[in-house]
Amino acid sequence: MQAFPHGSTTTSTVVAVPPSLRLPVIEAAFPRQLHPYWPRLQEKTRTWLLEKRLMPADKVEEYADGLCYTDLMAGYYVDAADDVLQATADYSAWFFVWDDRHDRDIVHRRPVAWRRLAEQLHTALEAPQNHLHHRDPLVAGFADSVLRLFSFLPVTWNGRFARHFHAVIDAYDREFHNRTHGIVPSVEEYLRLRRLTFAHWIWTDLLEASAGQELPDRVRKHPAFRRAALLSQEFAAWYNDLCSLPKEIAGDEVHNLGISLITHEGLTLEAAIVELRRRVEECISEFIVAEQDALRFAGELADGTVRGKELSAAVRACVGNMRNWFSTVYWFHHESGRYMVDNWDDRSTPPYVNNEAAGEK
């Protein structure tokens, strides 16, 4: 299967998707898109990671491109303005680095360091301009990316984004507690928490930045729009769980839908994988229906007024990018070195993290 004939390398690549992870409907019915700015995006995000000291130079050189973080964003927000996509891609790369710090703080039992970082992020979210030179590169990089994102849409959107990300930080804190205490959440508890740790509503907020306008509540909260948005994110989170299950079992994780199914529903590993696949495939089929409902809603917004025409176009753009999320997430998991656990020297320690830089010995 040729994954990205025009995309993320100078030559076409063939990606072998394992049978347990292959989704023929994605490969057939969700054609992959790529923002034309992608080559420049990759270069500039790589430079940004270095300038902000979020990854050491040797790690950036060896792993940054292969982690495919920019591919993921360039395949999702395909019609964003270049500067919006750049800010979004830098923020996304920061998010992955933050996720790695969170993981290392758990593995090496550093609750004080983690809680200090969480509080600093909460503070930086309220006044990012005051934290651009913070001594912790994670805080400074976060402030930089958030301040840029805040420049595109009104303060009402900024406030919503901030509220949503405060909830993400708190969810990461709950995950920290669960992992350090060996608590596997129930399936329902996990699903609620996963919507926050995967940042469902952050990526949905950023659809508006990509479309170039904030959507009013009556549009954003309309059941047709909200249902399609939620399904696109649920697919991504659950497919991530399916693909990362070996990595997270190796790392003594407790936060994975498969692990919750094994622990609380008594499923075997094999049965949990089957159930994860079923949920993922159900998301796809339900999205196809919800997508049409959302597009009908977009049509209804075009009421003959200029504003109605603008809103209709924005909703269509958002729904189109929701569809893109399926293909870009799918291929990301088979191209990114983040999930190639079998190639790591130590299955519990990603080679792209720098333990010494995080204060480890």
Side-chain angles (χ1 to χ4, degrees), residues 30-53:
F30 289 77
R32 194 171 184 187
Q33 309 293 320
L34 185 69
H35 197 292
Y37 181 66
W38 174 80
R40 183 73 174 137
L41 180 73
Q42 185 184 58
E43 176 188 341
K44 291 190 73 173
T45 294
R46 190 191 313 124
T47 299
W48 186 79
L49 287 168
L50 283 170
E51 289 178 348
K52 299 301 176 184
R53 298 179 294 120

mmCIF file of all heavy atoms in Angstrom, residues 30-53:
data_model
loop_
_atom_site.group_PDB
_atom_site.id
_atom_site.type_symbol
_atom_site.label_atom_id
_atom_site.label_comp_id
_atom_site.label_asym_id
_atom_site.label_seq_id
_atom_site.Cartn_x
_atom_site.Cartn_y
_atom_site.Cartn_z
ATOM 1 N N PHE A 30 -11.142 7.430 2.227
ATOM 2 C CA PHE A 30 -10.679 8.670 2.847
ATOM 3 C C PHE A 30 -9.345 9.066 2.228
ATOM 4 O O PHE A 30 -8.288 8.865 2.823
ATOM 5 C CB PHE A 30 -10.549 8.500 4.365
ATOM 6 C CG PHE A 30 -11.863 8.386 5.088
ATOM 7 C CD1 PHE A 30 -12.590 7.208 5.073
ATOM 8 C CD2 PHE A 30 -12.377 9.472 5.795
ATOM 9 C CE1 PHE A 30 -13.803 7.091 5.737
ATOM 10 C CE2 PHE A 30 -13.587 9.369 6.472
ATOM 11 C CZ PHE A 30 -14.304 8.181 6.433
ATOM 12 N N PRO A 31 -9.374 9.614 1.004
ATOM 13 C CA PRO A 31 -8.119 9.980 0.348
ATOM 14 C C PRO A 31 -7.308 10.963 1.172
ATOM 15 O O PRO A 31 -7.856 11.868 1.795
ATOM 16 C CB PRO A 31 -8.560 10.615 -0.973
ATOM 17 C CG PRO A 31 -10.030 10.596 -0.993
ATOM 18 C CD PRO A 31 -10.552 9.949 0.244
ATOM 19 N N ARG A 32 -6.035 10.762 1.172
ATOM 20 C CA ARG A 32 -5.155 11.594 1.988
ATOM 21 C C ARG A 32 -4.863 12.917 1.294
ATOM 22 O O ARG A 32 -4.623 12.974 0.090
ATOM 23 C CB ARG A 32 -3.856 10.838 2.245
ATOM 24 C CG ARG A 32 -3.007 11.456 3.338
ATOM 25 C CD ARG A 32 -1.847 10.531 3.692
ATOM 26 N NE ARG A 32 -1.090 11.072 4.805
ATOM 27 C CZ ARG A 32 0.045 10.553 5.236
ATOM 28 N NH1 ARG A 32 0.541 9.487 4.648
ATOM 29 N NH2 ARG A 32 0.686 11.091 6.250
ATOM 30 N N GLN A 33 -4.904 13.976 2.066
ATOM 31 C CA GLN A 33 -4.618 15.324 1.574
ATOM 32 C C GLN A 33 -3.331 15.822 2.227
ATOM 33 O O GLN A 33 -2.929 15.338 3.273
ATOM 34 C CB GLN A 33 -5.774 16.263 1.921
ATOM 35 C CG GLN A 33 -7.146 15.763 1.518
ATOM 36 C CD GLN A 33 -7.329 15.688 0.029
ATOM 37 O OE1 GLN A 33 -6.869 16.577 -0.694
ATOM 38 N NE2 GLN A 33 -7.988 14.644 -0.450
ATOM 39 N N LEU A 34 -2.720 16.822 1.624
ATOM 40 C CA LEU A 34 -1.518 17.423 2.203
ATOM 41 C C LEU A 34 -1.469 18.900 1.845
ATOM 42 O O LEU A 34 -1.601 19.273 0.681
ATOM 43 C CB LEU A 34 -0.257 16.725 1.688
ATOM 44 C CG LEU A 34 1.052 17.193 2.320
ATOM 45 C CD1 LEU A 34 1.136 16.755 3.778
ATOM 46 C CD2 LEU A 34 2.254 16.658 1.557
ATOM 47 N N HIS A 35 -1.298 19.732 2.857
ATOM 48 C CA HIS A 35 -1.185 21.170 2.645
ATOM 49 C C HIS A 35 0.055 21.460 1.803
ATOM 50 O O HIS A 35 1.132 20.911 2.045
ATOM 51 C CB HIS A 35 -1.073 21.864 4.008
ATOM 52 C CG HIS A 35 -1.357 23.319 3.979
ATOM 53 N ND1 HIS A 35 -0.531 24.229 3.354
ATOM 54 C CD2 HIS A 35 -2.391 24.058 4.503
ATOM 55 C CE1 HIS A 35 -1.029 25.446 3.491
ATOM 56 N NE2 HIS A 35 -2.160 25.374 4.194
ATOM 57 N N PRO A 36 -0.057 22.323 0.790
ATOM 58 C CA PRO A 36 1.103 22.601 -0.078
ATOM 59 C C PRO A 36 2.280 23.234 0.645
ATOM 60 O O PRO A 36 3.418 23.199 0.148
ATOM 61 C CB PRO A 36 0.525 23.543 -1.154
ATOM 62 C CG PRO A 36 -0.747 24.078 -0.576
ATOM 63 C CD PRO A 36 -1.275 23.008 0.325
ATOM 64 N N TYR A 37 2.033 23.798 1.814
ATOM 65 C CA TYR A 37 3.097 24.432 2.602
ATOM 66 C C TYR A 37 3.948 23.390 3.333
ATOM 67 O O TYR A 37 4.966 23.743 3.933
ATOM 68 C CB TYR A 37 2.435 25.385 3.611
ATOM 69 C CG TYR A 37 3.363 26.163 4.517
ATOM 70 C CD1 TYR A 37 4.228 27.135 4.020
ATOM 71 C CD2 TYR A 37 3.355 25.945 5.893
ATOM 72 C CE1 TYR A 37 5.058 27.858 4.868
ATOM 73 C CE2 TYR A 37 4.180 26.663 6.753
ATOM 74 C CZ TYR A 37 5.026 27.611 6.220
ATOM 75 O OH TYR A 37 5.854 28.337 7.057
ATOM 76 N N TRP A 38 3.595 22.119 3.246
ATOM 77 C CA TRP A 38 4.229 21.105 4.097
ATOM 78 C C TRP A 38 5.758 21.110 4.086
ATOM 79 O O TRP A 38 6.375 21.071 5.162
ATOM 80 C CB TRP A 38 3.729 19.684 3.754
ATOM 81 C CG TRP A 38 4.495 18.677 4.546
ATOM 82 C CD1 TRP A 38 4.300 18.322 5.846
ATOM 83 C CD2 TRP A 38 5.655 17.961 4.124
ATOM 84 N NE1 TRP A 38 5.245 17.423 6.253
ATOM 85 C CE2 TRP A 38 6.101 17.190 5.213
ATOM 86 C CE3 TRP A 38 6.372 17.913 2.918
ATOM 87 C CZ2 TRP A 38 7.218 16.366 5.132
ATOM 88 C CZ3 TRP A 38 7.489 17.085 2.848
ATOM 89 C CH2 TRP A 38 7.894 16.324 3.951
ATOM 90 N N PRO A 39 6.453 21.138 2.935
ATOM 91 C CA PRO A 39 7.926 21.081 3.014
ATOM 92 C C PRO A 39 8.519 22.209 3.853
ATOM 93 O O PRO A 39 9.445 21.995 4.637
ATOM 94 C CB PRO A 39 8.358 21.185 1.543
ATOM 95 C CG PRO A 39 7.173 20.707 0.763
ATOM 96 C CD PRO A 39 5.979 21.186 1.544
ATOM 97 N N ARG A 40 7.982 23.420 3.685
ATOM 98 C CA ARG A 40 8.475 24.550 4.472
ATOM 99 C C ARG A 40 8.079 24.382 5.935
ATOM 100 O O ARG A 40 8.839 24.726 6.848
ATOM 101 C CB ARG A 40 7.881 25.841 3.894
ATOM 102 C CG ARG A 40 8.368 27.107 4.567
ATOM 103 C CD ARG A 40 9.799 27.421 4.202
ATOM 104 N NE ARG A 40 10.197 28.725 4.746
ATOM 105 C CZ ARG A 40 11.355 28.949 5.329
ATOM 106 N NH1 ARG A 40 12.228 27.963 5.467
ATOM 107 N NH2 ARG A 40 11.668 30.147 5.769
ATOM 108 N N LEU A 41 6.901 23.853 6.162
ATOM 109 C CA LEU A 41 6.414 23.618 7.522
ATOM 110 C C LEU A 41 7.362 22.696 8.271
ATOM 111 O O LEU A 41 7.743 22.967 9.414
ATOM 112 C CB LEU A 41 5.016 22.983 7.449
ATOM 113 C CG LEU A 41 4.322 22.665 8.774
ATOM 114 C CD1 LEU A 41 3.846 23.940 9.447
ATOM 115 C CD2 LEU A 41 3.132 21.728 8.534
ATOM 116 N N GLN A 42 7.759 21.617 7.642
ATOM 117 C CA GLN A 42 8.656 20.663 8.285
ATOM 118 C C GLN A 42 9.980 21.325 8.660
ATOM 119 O O GLN A 42 10.472 21.175 9.777
ATOM 120 C CB GLN A 42 8.907 19.478 7.356
ATOM 121 C CG GLN A 42 9.742 18.377 7.987
ATOM 122 C CD GLN A 42 10.052 17.268 7.001
ATOM 123 O OE1 GLN A 42 10.635 17.509 5.953
ATOM 124 N NE2 GLN A 42 9.664 16.045 7.336
ATOM 125 N N GLU A 43 10.503 22.096 7.744
ATOM 126 C CA GLU A 43 11.780 22.775 7.982
ATOM 127 C C GLU A 43 11.677 23.782 9.125
ATOM 128 O O GLU A 43 12.542 23.831 10.018
ATOM 129 C CB GLU A 43 12.205 23.482 6.692
ATOM 130 C CG GLU A 43 13.469 24.315 6.809
ATOM 131 C CD GLU A 43 13.723 25.130 5.553
ATOM 132 O OE1 GLU A 43 13.167 24.799 4.489
ATOM 133 O OE2 GLU A 43 14.481 26.118 5.648
ATOM 134 N N LYS A 44 10.602 24.572 9.120
ATOM 135 C CA LYS A 44 10.473 25.626 10.128
ATOM 136 C C LYS A 44 10.148 25.056 11.508
ATOM 137 O O LYS A 44 10.615 25.581 12.521
ATOM 138 C CB LYS A 44 9.415 26.636 9.691
ATOM 139 C CG LYS A 44 9.834 27.464 8.487
ATOM 140 C CD LYS A 44 8.893 28.619 8.215
ATOM 141 C CE LYS A 44 9.046 29.732 9.223
ATOM 142 N NZ LYS A 44 8.245 30.929 8.883
ATOM 143 N N THR A 45 9.366 23.992 11.577
ATOM 144 C CA THR A 45 9.091 23.384 12.886
ATOM 145 C C THR A 45 10.349 22.739 13.444
ATOM 146 O O THR A 45 10.602 22.809 14.651
ATOM 147 C CB THR A 45 7.945 22.359 12.782
ATOM 148 O OG1 THR A 45 6.743 23.053 12.449
ATOM 149 C CG2 THR A 45 7.738 21.621 14.095
ATOM 150 N N ARG A 46 11.142 22.126 12.586
ATOM 151 C CA ARG A 46 12.410 21.555 13.029
ATOM 152 C C ARG A 46 13.298 22.656 13.631
ATOM 153 O O ARG A 46 13.887 22.485 14.704
ATOM 154 C CB ARG A 46 13.117 20.889 11.841
ATOM 155 C CG ARG A 46 14.329 20.053 12.223
ATOM 156 C CD ARG A 46 15.144 19.640 11.006
ATOM 157 N NE ARG A 46 14.321 19.107 9.937
ATOM 158 C CZ ARG A 46 14.311 19.586 8.693
ATOM 159 N NH1 ARG A 46 15.055 20.650 8.377
ATOM 160 N NH2 ARG A 46 13.570 19.028 7.764
ATOM 161 N N THR A 47 13.356 23.800 12.956
ATOM 162 C CA THR A 47 14.140 24.931 13.453
ATOM 163 C C THR A 47 13.571 25.455 14.768
ATOM 164 O O THR A 47 14.310 25.793 15.700
ATOM 165 C CB THR A 47 14.168 26.051 12.401
ATOM 166 O OG1 THR A 47 14.782 25.548 11.211
ATOM 167 C CG2 THR A 47 14.939 27.262 12.906
ATOM 168 N N TRP A 48 12.247 25.508 14.850
ATOM 169 C CA TRP A 48 11.588 26.008 16.065
ATOM 170 C C TRP A 48 11.895 25.115 17.262
ATOM 171 O O TRP A 48 12.168 25.607 18.362
ATOM 172 C CB TRP A 48 10.076 26.088 15.820
ATOM 173 C CG TRP A 48 9.286 26.703 16.927
ATOM 174 C CD1 TRP A 48 9.150 28.032 17.210
ATOM 175 C CD2 TRP A 48 8.502 26.014 17.910
ATOM 176 N NE1 TRP A 48 8.322 28.214 18.307
ATOM 177 C CE2 TRP A 48 7.909 26.991 18.755
ATOM 178 C CE3 TRP A 48 8.221 24.671 18.166
ATOM 179 C CZ2 TRP A 48 7.062 26.664 19.817
ATOM 180 C CZ3 TRP A 48 7.388 24.338 19.227
ATOM 181 C CH2 TRP A 48 6.821 25.325 20.040
ATOM 182 N N LEU A 49 11.870 23.804 17.062
ATOM 183 C CA LEU A 49 12.199 22.871 18.144
ATOM 184 C C LEU A 49 13.614 23.121 18.667
ATOM 185 O O LEU A 49 13.865 23.057 19.875
ATOM 186 C CB LEU A 49 12.066 21.425 17.657
ATOM 187 C CG LEU A 49 10.651 20.891 17.443
ATOM 188 C CD1 LEU A 49 10.695 19.570 16.687
ATOM 189 C CD2 LEU A 49 9.923 20.718 18.771
ATOM 190 N N LEU A 50 14.533 23.432 17.762
ATOM 191 C CA LEU A 50 15.912 23.731 18.165
ATOM 192 C C LEU A 50 15.994 25.062 18.892
ATOM 193 O O LEU A 50 16.613 25.170 19.956
ATOM 194 C CB LEU A 50 16.817 23.748 16.935
ATOM 195 C CG LEU A 50 17.223 22.405 16.343
ATOM 196 C CD1 LEU A 50 17.914 22.598 14.996
ATOM 197 C CD2 LEU A 50 18.136 21.657 17.300
ATOM 198 N N GLU A 51 15.384 26.094 18.313
ATOM 199 C CA GLU A 51 15.472 27.432 18.899
ATOM 200 C C GLU A 51 14.855 27.483 20.293
ATOM 201 O O GLU A 51 15.366 28.184 21.174
ATOM 202 C CB GLU A 51 14.779 28.441 17.984
ATOM 203 C CG GLU A 51 15.541 28.724 16.692
ATOM 204 C CD GLU A 51 14.792 29.687 15.789
ATOM 205 O OE1 GLU A 51 13.591 29.958 16.061
ATOM 206 O OE2 GLU A 51 15.398 30.175 14.811
ATOM 207 N N LYS A 52 13.784 26.730 20.482
ATOM 208 C CA LYS A 52 13.105 26.724 21.771
ATOM 209 C C LYS A 52 13.680 25.677 22.735
ATOM 210 O O LYS A 52 13.195 25.516 23.848
ATOM 211 C CB LYS A 52 11.599 26.491 21.591
ATOM 212 C CG LYS A 52 10.910 27.574 20.771
ATOM 213 C CD LYS A 52 11.084 28.945 21.410
ATOM 214 C CE LYS A 52 10.490 30.045 20.556
ATOM 215 N NZ LYS A 52 10.739 31.384 21.114
ATOM 216 N N ARG A 53 14.702 24.972 22.292
ATOM 217 C CA ARG A 53 15.391 23.960 23.106
ATOM 218 C C ARG A 53 14.432 22.875 23.611
ATOM 219 O O ARG A 53 14.577 22.346 24.702
ATOM 220 C CB ARG A 53 16.117 24.628 24.282
ATOM 221 C CG ARG A 53 17.200 25.604 23.856
ATOM 222 C CD ARG A 53 17.892 26.268 25.028
ATOM 223 N NE ARG A 53 16.983 27.144 25.763
ATOM 224 C CZ ARG A 53 16.673 26.984 27.040
ATOM 225 N NH1 ARG A 53 17.169 25.973 27.741
ATOM 226 N NH2 ARG A 53 15.837 27.833 27.626
#
